[in-house]
Amino acid sequence: MYLRIGFLFIFLVSFQSPLLPCEPFDPVSLKPTDASREDKDFFSFKQKLEKAIQEKNIQFIESVIDPQISFAFSEEGMGKSNFLKHWKLKQNPKNPEFWNELSQTVNLGFTFKDQIWSAPFLFNQTPESIDQYSYSLITGSVVNVRDKPSTKGKILTQLSWEFVKNEYDETNSKPSSKEPCNFKKVCISDGQIGYICEQYLRSPLGYRVGFSKKKSAWSMIFFVEGGD
């Protein structure tokens, strides 16, 4: 008798609470910030840096690269000459991959910690509750989350500056030439699976750049992605 009641209870609970596509989690938002104006000297340098990026001025970049710059978690991931070789900047000073990555990183705002100005802002401000390997931040306001990897997909919801969990999907590695962007599969906090245009997602372990003042001049001491 008790056994039958137990099975009935489990059945009713299962019926009333259908399984969601992914496990829900507490929503976490992180609004963008840029504290660079707090330091007049660094802010002036940042303006020069932004101008150099816009003009793809490799001479300026070379002049600020620290001799021991860190750019990869490997034995050969340090040093100015290795950095220039890594980005193929000697052969192609206007290498779009380098300039695009640096531009996107700088444009997401600077924070100051341990005598280093670094960008993007989420590098220093991602909450400890967020697994940096598993989550990405939506970097935009009112960003569409769709039910399939296409601009024709139904909009499930719209989110602003909120963390989502990364989900693997074959479409993640196969961008379609018919779409204006590459869609990434994600889990949002309410347990729904959706797709977001890659340009609106940023991993805390994505590229970050840091500047430190040495001998009265600002030096780029790291421009790196990933974790050790």
Side-chain angles (χ1 to χ4, degrees), residues 48-117:
K48 295 176 183 176
L49 173 65
E50 291 172 333
K51 185 174 185 292
I53 293 173
Q54 184 179 11
E55 297 174 351
K56 294 183 174 59
N57 184 345
I58 190 60
Q59 287 77 22
F60 177 88
I61 296 299
E62 285 195 67
S63 72
V64 302
I65 296 175
D66 188 84
Q68 298 301 317
I69 187 173
S70 175
F71 62 91
F73 295 96
S74 65
E75 293 182 2
E76 298 180 352
M78 293 185 66
K80 182 174 180 178
S81 59
N82 287 339
F83 178 85
L84 296 172
K85 181 179 179 181
H86 172 77
W87 286 104
K88 301 178 178 64
L89 292 174
K90 287 296 185 182
Q91 307 97 303
N92 183 14
K94 296 188 182 297
N95 180 2
E97 184 181 358
F98 169 76
W99 295 106
N100 290 340
E101 291 290 357
L102 185 58
S103 176
Q104 291 172 20
T105 302
V106 168
N107 288 342
L108 280 172
F110 282 84
T111 57
F112 186 68
K113 183 178 180 181
D114 299 330
Q115 303 303 310
I116 299 172
W117 281 102

Side-chain angles (χ1 to χ4, degrees), residues 13 20-21 28 55 61 66 99 103-104 149 157 160 171 174 191 203:
V13 170
L20 290 167
V28 178
E55 297 174 351
I61 296 299
D66 188 84
W99 295 106
S103 176
Q104 291 172 20
T157 187
S160 304
T171 57
K174 296 180 180 179
S203 166

Side-chain angles (χ1 to χ4, degrees), residues 39-49:
D39 184 326
K40 291 182 179 179
D41 186 55
F42 178 74
F43 184 70
S44 176
F45 169 78
K46 192 192 82 163
Q47 290 180 307
K48 295 176 183 176
L49 173 65

Side-chain angles (χ1 to χ4, degrees), residues 31-206:
K31 300 299 182 181
T33 60
D34 185 359
S36 60
R37 287 182 179 273
E38 297 175 6
D39 184 326
K40 291 182 179 179
D41 186 55
F42 178 74
F43 184 70
S44 176
F45 169 78
K46 192 192 82 163
Q47 290 180 307
K48 295 176 183 176
L49 173 65
E50 291 172 333
K51 185 174 185 292
I53 293 173
Q54 184 179 11
E55 297 174 351
K56 294 183 174 59
N57 184 345
I58 190 60
Q59 287 77 22
F60 177 88
I61 296 299
E62 285 195 67
S63 72
V64 302
I65 296 175
D66 188 84
Q68 298 301 317
I69 187 173
S70 175
F71 62 91
F73 295 96
S74 65
E75 293 182 2
E76 298 180 352
M78 293 185 66
K80 182 174 180 178
S81 59
N82 287 339
F83 178 85
L84 296 172
K85 181 179 179 181
H86 172 77
W87 286 104
K88 301 178 178 64
L89 292 174
K90 287 296 185 182
Q91 307 97 303
N92 183 14
K94 296 188 182 297
N95 180 2
E97 184 181 358
F98 169 76
W99 295 106
N100 290 340
E101 291 290 357
L102 185 58
S103 176
Q104 291 172 20
T105 302
V106 168
N107 288 342
L108 280 172
F110 282 84
T111 57
F112 186 68
K113 183 178 180 181
D114 299 330
Q115 303 303 310
I116 299 172
W117 281 102
S118 59
F121 73 96
L122 64 155
F123 173 53
N124 284 327
Q125 296 189 340
T126 295
E128 292 184 1
S129 60
I130 294 295
D131 180 355
Q132 298 189 10
Y133 290 89
S134 303
Y135 288 79
S136 292
L137 178 68
I138 295 176
T139 55
S141 299
V142 196
V143 174
N144 294 327
V145 183
R146 299 182 182 274
D147 67 346
K148 60 182 179 180
S150 170
T151 51
K152 296 180 180 179
K154 175 185 175 183
I155 297 176
L156 300 174
T157 187
Q158 294 176 316
L159 299 175
S160 304
W161 301 99
E162 186 172 315
F163 281 98
V164 291
K165 189 172 184 180
N166 306 319
E167 294 283 335
Y168 177 76
D169 188 85
E170 288 186 359
T171 57
N172 284 348
S173 57
K174 296 180 180 179
S176 172
S177 59
K178 299 179 181 179
E179 292 292 339
C181 64
N182 183 24
F183 281 88
K184 294 293 185 180
K185 185 178 182 180
V186 300
C187 172
I188 57 180
S189 62
D190 63 3
Q192 292 189 85
I193 288 290
Y195 293 86
I196 298 176
C197 189
E198 183 179 31
Q199 71 187 68
Y200 296 112
L201 291 172
R202 185 82 179 196
S203 166
L205 294 177

